């Protein structure tokens, strides 16, 4: 993962994929396509916290939270959840 820092936005390069997100915004741009996240990236005490969902997009797949097992699940391709 490579970070490119801007005033209020971050660019993540991961395995050749490029995602851009702005702090306190739920919008992420993945390979030029805008997507809406469930939560926004935030900065606290000098660290930036990025939603796991954004990293799922970065790998060309998806992320979802399985509440019964308290587990985050990444997939390498898009999975539709009910």
């Amino acid at each position: 993962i490579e970070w490119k820092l801007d005033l209020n936005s971050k660019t993540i390069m991961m395995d050749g994929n490029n995602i851009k997100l702005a702090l306190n915004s739920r919008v992420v741009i993945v390979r030029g396509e805008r997507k809406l996240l469930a939560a926004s990236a935030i900065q606290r005490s000098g660290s930036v916290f990025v939603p796991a969902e954004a990293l799922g997009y970065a790998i060309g797949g998806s992320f979802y939270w399985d509440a019964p097992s308290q587990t985050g699940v990444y997939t390498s391709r898009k999975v539709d959840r009910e």
Side-chain angles (χ1 to χ4, degrees):
I1 298 176
E2 173 188 340
W3 283 96
K4 292 185 179 180
L5 302 178
D6 194 331
L7 288 176
N8 287 318
S9 67
K10 310 297 178 218
T11 300
I12 302 172
M13 301 290 290
M14 185 174 180
D15 294 332
N17 292 314
N18 182 355
I19 70 169
K20 286 186 168 188
L21 41 83
L23 295 176
N24 302 312
S25 172
R26 292 178 46 211
V27 174
V28 63
I29 301 172
V30 183
R31 295 175 295 282
E33 183 181 337
R34 294 172 59 95
K35 297 183 179 280
L36 186 63
L37 300 173
S40 62
I42 59 171
Q43 186 168 5
R44 296 273 158 78
S45 303
S47 295
V48 175
F49 296 87
V50 177
E53 181 181 17
L55 300 178
Y57 287 140
I59 62 171
S62 64
F63 171 86
Y64 68 92
W65 180 253
D66 183 64
S69 68
Q70 297 278 306
T71 304
V73 179
Y74 284 98
T75 63
S76 59
R77 60 183 169 74
K78 181 69 177 160
V79 172
D80 292 322
R81 298 289 299 164
E82 293 181 10

